[in-house]
Amino acid sequence: MDVLIGVAWPYASGPRHLGHLAGAYLPADVAARYHRLAGDRVLLVSGSDQHGTPITVAAERAGLSPAVLADREHERIAAGFARAGISFDHYTRTATRRHHAVTQDLFTRLHRRGLVAEATQPAAFCEREGRSLPDRYVEGTCPRCGAPDARGDQCDTCGQTLDPEELGAPRCRRCGGPAGLRPLRQLFLRLDLLQPQVADYLDARQASWRPFVGAEARGWLAAGLRPRAITRDLDWGVPVPLPGWDDRRLYVWFDAVIGYLSASVEWAEQCGDPDAWRRWWQGPAARHRYFVGKDNIWFHTVWWPAILLGAGNGLRPPDEVVANHHLTRPTAGPPRRSPGLPRPGGKLSASRGHAPTIDEGIERAGLDPLRHALCALGPETADVELAWDKVDELTASGLLGAIAGPPHRVATLLWRRFGGRPDPAALAAAAPERAEAAAALAEVGAAIDRGELRRALQAVHAIGRTVNRRLAATEPWNLPDPAAHAELTRLLPLLDALGVAAWPFVPTTAGRARSLLGRRPDPAAWAADKRPPRVTAPPAPPRPRWSPITEA
């Protein structure tokens, strides 16, 4: 199967934090690694969103042009994802010529089909500065939750998507003065005309989604879709391909989601096969999985499908939208000196300046301990508190106790007493263990396929803990050689399965565990290796801070 995995495009306004990693990028990477081992043709794409007011706001603060800041931050973000082991097939940005061309093409298709119309919209205006204010330059009271610092495009507190005219007591974010409203002509996507198609799309797909994702999408439809502006009076972004609109740009809401398609086209061009993207976007056997935070549900369950369905080019809309909740700062207990967590309570937020970055998380915990803990905590059904003492606890009990420890214990005993060689007769008689290992791999794979990473990781731990229980029950170190040799050998199929099952989550730790048994660090398939294992060197003790960046 051809599996496209799209991950939400981060604003190129600063480094990404651990909430982003846990909510979208790490789950997508685990899924991509699993699908590749399962034999699927995977295309994992994302990129830096370099347009829109978040970039211009950050650029003004830094005293840089939007282009310079966006390119600088794109490089920092890409480096952070690479350090975290996110295995993108293509990570790009929205300021490329290919992205502009693909975005303008979809706009033109929608315009020709009568789905883009001109109208006026109340726009915020700062009397003190004498200038119109794009939405992120406006702050005020959220009409939904009452938060006093909602922005003109979204409320960080409740996640509600907003327009500036909906805010209570709007004020200019630049100077703090009151913001008035003036009519401004814009181009609108006619979502009202697309509602029947979006409704049919949701009816056909949402049954397998997480309940809160489907409920939110249906809530938007129940309220009735309205035309939504897709232009802004900015000079930074994708130009509108219509005469008379030179002073407008296609807004980030429109062009950012198109990045999934433009990234796929770019990837195909760079591979030397310009039409290769079509197998994922127009092929009958394709599957599209999107990984996002909960504040991006609207854009991926309603907005992006509406664009694709409206363009009418046979482009596949999302099959699944795997949305996660937020990581939050600790709310109770003794003060912690954890980097990036200066205030208690509330979600981690880069725009509010209180969140540990990916680099800070890796420096604090180590790469695999961080990946392991974020998957174990997994904010899949509710917001989850991030506390470093919990990360340390999960590292000791799960990563070391259930993943790294069991292979090391068995390999050490095999090496010391039997030169690392398994007992051929016991290996041939280990059919029950091989069946148990295959069932465990199937359970882990099915959970990853459903986007249930916490359940999948628990099943990984269960394999290692089964080995630990067998060792505790049989005490092979106290058995005579023939019995000890047979017992240790019969555990090898389970350890083979453990090395494969853990690899999408903690590839460095799993790779070292596989190497203990004479396997290649990277598995080739979602199945136990059929070659007889053998310990070929004295096992080194497991180390929780293994990192492919600092160690070969």
Side-chain angles (χ1 to χ4, degrees):
M1 179 178 289
D2 302 314
V3 180
L4 178 94
I5 298 179
V7 201
W9 286 52
Y11 285 128
S13 55
R16 298 300 91 185
H17 61 64
L18 297 186
H20 299 128
L21 187 62
Y25 303 98
L26 183 53
D29 179 63
V30 171
R33 290 172 182 271
Y34 160 71
H35 281 293
R36 293 178 187 125
L37 292 181
D40 296 322
R41 288 181 291 263
V42 173
L43 184 56
L44 174 60
V45 295
S46 186
S48 300
D49 184 353
Q50 294 188 298
H51 296 146
T53 49
I55 309 306
T56 59
V57 169
E60 286 187 1
R61 289 175 174 171
L64 301 171
S65 71
V68 169
L69 178 126
D71 284 344
R72 184 191 75 184
E73 295 306 320
H74 164 71
E75 295 299 329
R76 293 176 65 190
I77 292 168
F81 288 147
R83 189 178 185 192
I86 309 303
S87 57
F88 285 116
D89 293 291
H90 190 53
Y91 186 83
T92 182
R93 54 198 180 94
T94 57
T96 66
R97 282 181 290 191
R98 174 53 59 200
H99 176 72
H100 281 218
V102 172
T103 300
Q104 290 174 331
D105 177 67
L106 283 189
F107 171 87
T108 300
R109 289 177 180 275
L110 292 163
H111 185 262
R112 287 174 178 170
R113 303 185 79 191
L115 295 171
V116 175
E118 178 181 343
T120 60
Q121 180 183 48
F125 188 88
C126 179
E127 297 288 350
R128 182 180 298 174
E129 296 190 349
R131 56 174 280 179
S132 60
L133 299 173
D135 45 28
R136 282 224 171 186
Y137 284 77
V138 189
E139 288 187 340
T141 303
C142 175
R144 177 175 174 177
C145 71
D149 57 354
R151 298 187 299 257
D153 63 342
Q154 188 172 12
C155 174
D156 271 350
T157 301
C158 67
Q160 176 72 27
T161 301
L162 300 170
D163 288 315
E165 64 267 26
E166 299 177 82
L167 294 175
R171 62 188 179 275
C172 175
R173 185 172 178 173
R174 290 164 51 92
C175 70
L181 295 174
R182 293 186 178 184
L184 190 69
R185 73 171 190 146
Q186 302 287 10
L187 292 170
F188 288 73
L189 180 63
R190 292 293 305 274
L191 287 176
D192 52 326
L193 300 181
L194 290 164
Q195 177 153 346
Q197 289 177 264
V198 175
D200 290 342
Y201 155 77
L202 289 176
D203 285 342
R205 286 176 170 83
Q206 75 173 80
S208 60
W209 295 357
R210 290 177 180 166
F212 77 93
V213 176
E216 181 165 328
R218 276 293 169 190
W220 283 99
L221 289 188
L225 300 183
R226 299 175 297 164
R228 193 171 188 88
I230 57 173
T231 54
R232 287 292 188 275
D233 55 332
L234 296 167
D235 57 7
W236 173 244
V238 180
V240 179
L242 289 177
W245 289 88
D246 294 343
D247 61 341
R248 298 288 192 275
R249 294 294 182 268
L250 293 173
Y251 192 51
V252 61
W253 289 337
F254 184 73
D255 90 280
V257 289
I258 296 173
Y260 299 113
L261 176 59
S262 66
S264 303
V265 176
E266 276 187 5
W267 168 85
E269 291 172 340
Q270 293 180 10
C271 289
D273 184 2
D275 287 327
W277 64 273
R278 297 183 185 277
R279 70 187 306 160
W280 282 273
W281 286 92
Q282 295 174 326
R287 177 183 177 190
H288 281 206
R289 307 189 72 190
Y290 288 79
F291 289 79
V292 301
K294 67 179 180 181
D295 47 4
N296 270 318
I297 291 174
W298 145 263
F299 292 106
H300 292 79
T301 61
V302 177
W303 181 251
W304 181 220
I307 292 173
L308 291 169
L309 295 169
N313 195 27
L315 299 172
R316 191 179 191 89
D319 293 296
E320 301 154 69
V321 177
V322 183
N324 286 303
H325 291 261
H326 296 140
L327 288 185
T328 63
R329 303 185 301 279
T331 56
R336 297 182 175 91
R337 296 182 179 178
S338 303
L341 299 179
R343 290 187 284 171
K347 79 165 190 172
L348 304 185
S349 172
S351 63
R352 303 299 180 188
H354 42 70
T357 66
I358 292 174
D359 283 341
E360 288 170 339
I362 294 174
E363 292 300 322
R364 165 59 178 80
L367 176 56
D368 274 11
L370 183 65
R371 286 177 63 106
H372 175 269
L374 293 181
C375 288
L377 291 170
E380 296 172 5
T381 57
D383 292 350
V384 173
E385 181 182 285
L386 174 66
W388 292 118
D389 50 5
K390 183 63 174 177
V391 173
D392 295 340
E393 176 188 329
L394 289 167
T395 298
S397 64
L399 181 61
L400 291 176
I403 296 177
H408 180 264
R409 297 176 71 190
V410 173
T412 298
L413 288 168
L414 270 176
W415 177 261
R416 288 176 177 174
R417 294 186 63 177
F418 309 107
R421 296 183 300 273
D423 178 353
L427 199 60
E433 286 81 6
R434 283 192 289 273
E436 186 176 359
L441 278 173
E443 181 182 358
V444 174
I448 295 175
D449 195 69
R450 295 190 301 268
E452 298 175 355
L453 265 62
R454 287 187 308 186
R455 185 184 298 271
L457 188 55
Q458 289 168 1
V460 174
H461 291 162
I463 303 172
R465 287 170 179 150
T466 295
V467 173
N468 285 337
R469 286 194 297 270
R470 286 271 295 263
L471 290 172
T474 61
E475 297 184 342
W477 49 88
N478 290 327
L479 294 176
D481 282 354
H485 203 186
E487 177 58 28
L488 293 172
T489 299
R490 282 194 292 267
L491 295 176
L492 294 178
L494 292 171
L495 295 178
D496 258 342
L498 178 62
V500 174
W503 189 81
F505 298 92
V506 285
T508 306
T509 300
R512 289 180 182 260
R514 286 174 52 81
S515 296
L516 290 176
L517 303 181
R519 307 303 196 194
R520 291 178 48 193
D522 297 350
W526 193 253
D529 198 316
K530 294 182 180 179
R531 296 178 299 109
R534 179 174 178 177
V535 181
T536 58
R543 288 169 288 175
R545 293 182 62 85
W546 287 341
S547 168
I549 300 302
T550 59
E551 297 184 29

